[in-house]
Amino acid sequence: MKCYHVDAFAEKVFEGNPAAVCVLDKYPSDELMLKIAIENNLSETAFAVKEGENYHLRWFTPGGEIDLCGHATLGTSYVLFRFFETKAESITFNTMSGPLTVVKKGDLLEMDFPAYELKQIPVTPEMDAAYGVKISEAWLGRDLLCVTEDAEAVPTMTPDHSKLAELDGLLQHITARGTDYDCVSRSFCSKLAVPEDPVCGSGHCHIVPLWAKKLGKEEIIARQVSPRGGTLHCKMNGTRVTLAGSAVLYSIADLFIEE
């Protein structure tokens, strides 16, 4: 089994968010895919199988399967465009979150994702304690999205991951209005055995709708200010979000495994 290691939302290796990608003739067992994800020890391992004109795509964290992942979708499309569908201009994936289409846009790959509906919830002392910064607003979709007025604290904060795991939401994000970018953020996945997701695509399906409304603009340039860092070119399209970024190949490996 070939396994491609791709840095997504990155312009060079060691930036952005690393994902493992396996393109297969058929799916192995869920148990084996989870073991591969655990062994890879990345935030996501993606498994793609050709399905008619499209590809069926599944994402596994070391903690289990997830319903939506942006950076691993970007990484998978990069691998397919480069090695499997070299003449294609777009690829559609069938996923747990419905069909997702990725289109070549110059040097960028643009993904069409569903936007999460956000409900504002009360800020609690537990949120302040978990993030280690003052939270001014809290919103809940699939994930918890917290807003802070202290943008300078976001890159350097050291959250308490055990306390984050006790908060609402599958993932926990923190965001602030940016200066060089429209917004900055970080994403944490303690419930999925991933302390921090360096650049989170599905997280921006929460972050972009919030800032598009707050700033009164459809196009958002977002920066994830994790230690690796990454930039996302985003646009609101009704109930959908387009996320665009670049990707680079780090390695290609052969996995010596049998079921």
Side-chain angles (χ1 to χ4, degrees), residues 228-249:
R228 291 179 65 100
T231 301
L232 303 93
H233 302 262
C234 314
K235 184 178 181 179
M236 284 298 302
N237 293 300
T239 60
R240 309 286 294 182
V241 180
T242 58
L243 307 173
S246 54
V248 292
L249 182 67

Side-chain angles (χ1 to χ4, degrees), residues 80-114:
L80 292 175
F81 282 131
R82 179 166 176 177
F83 298 104
F84 295 86
E85 305 289 344
T86 57
K87 296 182 180 180
E89 293 297 318
S90 68
I91 294 172
T92 298
F93 297 103
N94 301 325
T95 77
M96 291 174 65
S97 294
L100 305 175
T101 299
V102 183
V103 180
K104 290 182 179 178
K105 293 288 186 178
D107 294 332
L108 301 178
L109 299 178
E110 183 180 87
M111 304 181 292
D112 174 48
F113 273 33

Side-chain angles (χ1 to χ4, degrees), residues 1-222:
M1 182 188 300
K2 292 287 185 184
C3 186
Y4 301 82
H5 182 146
V6 178
D7 288 340
F9 297 114
E11 297 179 357
K12 58 185 179 180
V13 293
F14 309 125
E15 292 182 348
N17 200 351
V21 177
C22 299
V23 182
L24 309 166
D25 294 327
K26 63 179 182 179
Y27 284 117
S29 67
D30 289 6
E31 180 183 9
L32 180 57
M33 287 190 285
L34 179 57
K35 286 181 177 179
I36 293 171
I38 294 170
E39 188 74 10
N40 286 336
N41 198 31
L42 299 174
S43 58
E44 299 287 346
T45 297
F47 299 89
V49 172
K50 186 80 170 180
E51 192 171 69
E53 295 297 317
N54 300 342
Y55 281 83
H56 193 273
L57 181 61
R58 298 174 69 182
W59 309 278
F60 281 78
T61 75
E65 189 171 11
I66 195 170
D67 66 335
L68 184 64
C69 177
H71 85 278
T73 303
L74 184 67
T76 303
S77 61
Y78 171 86
V79 169
L80 292 175
F81 282 131
R82 179 166 176 177
F83 298 104
F84 295 86
E85 305 289 344
T86 57
K87 296 182 180 180
E89 293 297 318
S90 68
I91 294 172
T92 298
F93 297 103
N94 301 325
T95 77
M96 291 174 65
S97 294
L100 305 175
T101 299
V102 183
V103 180
K104 290 182 179 178
K105 293 288 186 178
D107 294 332
L108 301 178
L109 299 178
E110 183 180 87
M111 304 181 292
D112 174 48
F113 273 33
Y116 285 101
E117 184 176 348
L118 299 176
K119 176 184 177 181
Q120 189 165 15
I121 62 174
V123 174
T124 66
E126 288 78 13
M127 294 176 187
D128 290 344
Y131 287 103
V133 297
K134 181 65 178 176
I135 302 302
S136 58
E137 298 176 20
W139 301 81
L140 189 62
R142 181 197 70 178
D143 306 337
L144 176 66
L145 175 60
C146 289
V147 180
T148 179
E149 301 296 328
D150 190 357
E152 293 184 0
V154 178
T156 58
M157 59 182 286
T158 54
D160 186 319
H161 292 284
S162 63
K163 292 180 179 179
L164 282 176
E166 296 174 357
L167 298 179
D168 290 333
L170 182 64
L171 279 66
Q172 291 73 41
H173 313 284
I174 187 166
T175 187
R177 185 168 183 172
T179 51
D180 297 330
Y181 305 90
D182 291 308
C183 61
V184 297
S185 64
R186 288 174 70 185
S187 299
F188 306 100
C189 322
S190 302
K191 296 179 182 180
L192 297 172
V194 179
E196 180 164 7
D197 199 23
V199 188
C200 186
S202 63
H204 280 81
C205 295
H206 298 73
I207 295 165
V208 173
L210 179 69
W211 285 110
K213 185 175 181 179
K214 282 183 173 291
L215 300 177
K217 56 194 297 187
E218 291 183 348
E219 296 188 10
I220 299 291
I221 306 298

